Amino acid sequence: MKMPLLFFILTLACTGSILQNNNSIITQSSQLLVDDTQPLIDSIFIEGNTRFDTSWYKSILPLKEGNRFDSALYNNSSDIITDSLYSKGHFFAEVQNFTRINEQNSLNIYYFVYEGPVVLAGDIEIFGLELVKPVVVKRELLFNQGQKLTPSEILLSIRQIYNTGLFSYVTIEPIDTVLIYTELDSVEAPILIQVEEANMINLQIGGGYSSIEGLFGNLVFAHQNLFRLGHTASLSAQVSFVSTGAYLSYTYPWFLSAPVSANIRGYINRYDWDTYKEVISGATFGIGGIARIYNSYRIWTSYKNQHFITEPESNSLINTSITNTLLFGSSLRRDTRYSLLFPGNAIAATLTGELAGPWMSWSNQFFRIQTDLRSYRTFFNGNLITGSALYLGFINSYGPTEGVSPSELFRAGFGLVRPVRGYDEDEISPSTGEITGGRFALILNVANIIFPVYRVLNGEVFIDAGKIWTSPGSFSLYDLRWSAGIGLFLRIPSFPLRIDYGIKLDRNGRFDGNIYFALGYPF
């Protein structure tokens, strides 16, 4: 242990005092609990500090002069000082503390602090790599050699490495190579990164049931480490009573050595709606990246063709005469969640804007704006999760085009529009002739509470509300459909099965409901 010479002298002096009069020295906080009356704290002494003054240390301590002694706060106080020094880049700081009763039967508390130098990032050593090249790890680090380290940069670098999907375990630790007490302001320390690689070839099979699509299933096959550089190619398929589709995608991280990811995706879908059938095929190319850690962005362009097997009747809200759509879109996102299953105290906010067919008579012409706001709060070490969410969407045609394509309308349970658990789709989405869907959507997850039941089995209670309107002009809060329900949730990363039962809160006294099977957190 590296402590100033002054610390050892004072420690020896105090040890001698303890041997002479051990009744007046309190070396363990448990000795202070002999009765219900705790002594007053007379003085708090900080020794050994050279970089931060005594007033700063006293300001961060939970114990204050003149207050009653609290053994729990005392036991944690050294860790509070150490953590505060860590946050300022002093990773090798050490703290010792003890107490003493003075002649007035009040308590003096002593802290001996070795602040240590500011730690700069030195040589980076990575252990555990077999299939992944070291550059994949190093490019995700938020610090460079010679730069001052902070705990937040280390934690966020770990998160960045996890987000590649290539690793199941990651630690980053500066190594203390200074074997003696030093008065240097800063030192370069080697950085040790230890990783365990995850499965690079994944086969995922999922499914469930909802009142909207009935039984549904999906299959995903992906290789996420092509060229040993984290490139991902995936092939997926999904099927339900309403739709059948296949998708092929390729993701290129750090596209052209820039901190952005490029993705190209092709797809074909068949939809068998109640009143018509259609096949939609197309492709999307997008580029996205991270801005200031929690913030991300994405821009994309897509083309799709809509072929009606059986064509619906036209009306003023829809356009079936133009079957091609060229679209340009962008989104901004802030997401502070630790993970999808264990969000922590976090928010996730997304704003999306899309413009289809500008100056193109052969393309559908419309604009669409969507926002999705989610908030999470955890209690009892993350075992109790509370959450709320709001989705708002608006779409409208422009130019000579009258109406929008039926596939672009908002429908409950499709795309980004979450269902109102307990209701069938036609109770949330409006119908105009043979077309279901609307131009304005509002979905509220008013409250969602997940609590532990037994090990990985969790219980759930929730309140939902929402409605889709034919246009913003028909919007009315009175039309909102409300529901409440309960559920069970297996919080297993490999198979996060959730079963919900929602009950309609109907003004007419109907309290029937629907059951939902799904994977993952509800929002």
Side-chain angles (χ1 to χ4, degrees):
M1 180 179 298
K2 306 182 303 301
M3 300 296 292
L5 181 61
L6 175 62
F7 166 73
F8 291 106
I9 295 174
L10 289 174
T11 302
L12 289 173
C14 293
T15 303
S17 178
I18 292 172
L19 294 175
Q20 294 175 11
N21 188 7
N22 59 7
N23 291 326
S24 65
I25 303 297
I26 301 171
T27 60
Q28 300 292 334
S29 61
S30 59
Q31 291 178 268
L32 293 171
L33 302 178
V34 294
D35 56 44
D36 294 334
T37 303
Q38 298 298 328
L40 291 172
I41 299 173
D42 182 28
S43 299
I44 297 175
F45 297 96
I46 309 294
E47 302 290 345
N49 55 307
T50 58
R51 292 174 173 84
F52 304 100
D53 58 32
T54 299
S55 61
W56 178 78
Y57 285 97
K58 289 185 177 181
S59 69
I60 63 176
L61 286 172
L63 297 169
K64 304 298 180 183
E65 294 171 345
N67 292 348
R68 292 284 180 186
F69 181 81
D70 186 311
S71 59
L73 296 179
Y74 173 76
N75 291 335
N76 292 330
S77 58
S78 291
D79 290 338
I80 291 173
I81 294 177
T82 303
D83 290 344
S84 298
L85 290 170
Y86 286 175
S87 69
K88 294 181 176 294
H90 296 264
F91 283 91
F92 306 145
E94 297 176 1
V95 179
Q96 297 290 326
N97 58 333
F98 70 92
T99 59
R100 180 177 181 179
I101 295 290
N102 59 27
E103 295 178 354
Q104 291 77 33
N105 288 323
S106 296
L107 196 67
N108 291 334
I109 302 177
Y110 298 85
Y111 293 92
F112 294 95
V113 180
Y114 169 65
E115 295 166 327
V118 170
V119 176
L120 309 179
D123 294 332
I124 297 173
E125 299 287 341
I126 305 174
F127 294 91
L129 293 179
E130 296 180 5
L131 301 175
V132 182
K133 291 184 178 181
V135 66
V136 174
V137 175
K138 290 183 178 181
R139 69 192 182 190
E140 301 297 337
L141 299 176
L142 298 179
F143 54 84
N144 300 311
Q145 187 170 352
Q147 181 180 335
K148 174 184 172 181
L149 282 177
T150 64
S152 62
E153 288 175 336
I154 290 177
L155 290 174
L156 292 172
S157 295
I158 291 174
R159 173 176 171 166
Q160 291 280 92
I161 296 172
Y162 271 124
N163 286 344
T164 65
L166 301 174
F167 304 98
S168 59
Y169 175 79
V170 181
T171 62
I172 300 177
E173 181 182 4
I175 304 301
D176 186 0
T177 57
V178 182
L179 301 180
I180 60 173
Y181 168 68
T182 178
E183 295 184 356
L184 293 174
D185 291 333
S186 63
V187 295
E188 276 199 5
I191 306 301
L192 174 62
I193 302 177
Q194 293 183 305
V195 299
E196 290 182 8
E197 295 176 343
N199 293 327
M200 303 302 172
I201 299 177
N202 291 325
L203 177 63
Q204 299 177 359
I205 301 175
Y209 173 83
S210 75
S211 62
I212 297 170
E213 292 190 87
L215 290 173
F216 62 89
N218 55 66
L219 173 69
V220 180
F221 176 76
H223 192 304
Q224 53 188 32
N225 189 34
L226 295 174
F227 314 115
R228 300 179 63 197
L229 290 171
H231 292 213
T232 300
S234 68
L235 176 66
S236 60
Q238 61 85 25
V239 61
S240 72
F241 286 126
V242 174
S243 64
T244 303
Y247 311 85
L248 179 64
S249 71
Y250 187 89
T251 301
Y252 185 155
W254 286 76
F255 183 58
L256 301 179
S257 300
V260 297
S261 292
N263 174 268
I264 186 168
R265 181 173 183 259
Y267 61 90
I268 182 169
N269 280 309
R270 173 182 171 128
Y271 295 95
D272 293 322
W273 307 111
D274 291 337
T275 55
Y276 68 98
K277 297 177 175 60
E278 63 180 341
V279 175
I280 299 176
S281 58
T284 300
F285 175 76
I287 294 178
I290 303 296
R292 297 188 178 180
I293 304 172
Y294 293 117
N295 304 320
S296 62
Y297 64 90
R298 186 170 182 263
I299 56 175
W300 65 91
T301 182
S302 68
Y303 168 80
K304 73 177 180 180
N305 174 266
Q306 185 174 26
H307 171 68
F308 292 103
I309 300 173
T310 59
E311 189 169 334
E313 294 181 1
S314 296
N315 58 59
S316 60
L317 292 177
I318 66 167
N319 175 24
T320 59
S321 62
I322 300 177
T323 59
N324 298 305
T325 301
L326 182 63
L327 180 146
F328 302 91
S330 63
S331 67
L332 297 174
R333 182 175 181 83
R334 179 171 177 81
D335 191 346
T336 63
R337 290 176 294 182
Y338 182 75
S339 71
L340 297 180
L341 288 182
F342 304 92
N345 298 320
I347 61 168
T350 305
L351 177 63
T352 302
E354 295 170 297
L355 180 66
W359 307 289
M360 302 172 192
S361 59
W362 53 268
S363 170
N364 283 295
Q365 295 180 316
F366 62 85
F367 64 88
R368 177 166 47 208
I369 300 173
Q370 300 176 88
T371 184
D372 192 346
L373 306 176
R374 310 176 189 188
S375 175
Y376 308 87
R377 183 75 180 175
T378 61
F379 303 91
F380 307 111
N381 295 321
N383 291 312
L384 179 68
I385 303 176
T386 64
S388 298
L390 177 149
Y391 170 84
L392 191 65
F394 172 56
I395 184 173
N396 200 24
S397 60
Y398 70 91
T401 302
E402 293 185 4
V404 298
S405 171
S407 63
E408 306 295 348
L409 295 174
F410 298 119
R411 302 184 65 158
F414 292 91
L416 299 178
V417 186
R418 292 183 290 273
V420 179
R421 289 168 285 185
Y423 287 89
D424 294 327
E425 187 208 355
D426 57 8
E427 297 176 286
I428 303 298
S429 306
S431 294
T432 305
E434 295 183 343
I435 302 300
T436 298
R439 299 187 184 187
F440 187 75
L442 173 63
I443 304 295
L444 295 167
N445 299 99
V446 180
N448 201 96
I449 302 174
I450 293 177
F451 54 90
V453 175
Y454 180 72
R455 294 188 177 180
V456 297
L457 179 63
N458 286 246
E460 180 187 21
V461 294
F462 60 85
I463 299 174
D464 288 351
K467 188 72 172 70
I468 298 175
W469 292 266
T470 56
S471 66
S474 59
F475 166 76
S476 173
L477 288 176
Y478 183 81
D479 295 333
L480 283 177
R481 301 292 186 262
W482 292 81
S483 71
I486 59 176
L488 293 174
F489 186 24
L490 285 175
R491 288 176 73 187
I492 303 174
S494 58
F495 190 68
L497 177 64
R498 193 181 83 253
I499 304 173
D500 294 334
Y501 185 77
I503 302 172
K504 304 172 186 175
L505 303 180
D506 194 282
R507 296 186 183 91
N508 298 322
R510 293 188 304 117
F511 296 105
D512 56 324
N514 284 307
I515 192 169
Y516 295 82
F517 293 85
L519 295 177
Y521 199 82
F523 55 83

